[in-house]
Amino acid sequence: GRRAVALLNRGSEPLRITTSAAAVGLPHGRSYRVEDLWAGSVSSTRGRLSAVVPADAAVLYSVAAPA
């Protein structure tokens, strides 16, 4: 499976936002492919998704479970 994950900060200060692959409905896996849709970078995670999101901004990821 694949999910779009938006980490949204509506505050006036930068904020670290953390969630997990399980919390966004992805099945359990050893590793997940994470693509930052605005930066174009690709990385992997064991399930934790985290970013420091600037004030009044968002980070948008595409997260894919292992095949």
Side-chain angles (χ1 to χ4, degrees):
R2 179 182 299 269
R3 296 284 189 274
V5 178
L7 303 178
L8 177 63
N9 179 5
R10 297 183 72 190
S12 60
E13 300 289 330
L15 178 66
R16 175 167 295 281
I17 302 173
T18 302
T19 190
S20 68
V24 300
L26 287 168
H28 177 72
R30 288 186 184 183
S31 180
Y32 300 86
R33 181 181 186 274
V34 180
E35 182 179 358
D36 183 322
L37 295 176
W38 290 332
S41 59
V42 176
S43 61
S44 64
T45 181
R46 290 185 165 184
R48 182 175 177 220
L49 304 167
S50 186
V52 175
V53 183
D56 198 29
V59 173
L60 184 61
Y61 293 127
S62 174
V63 184

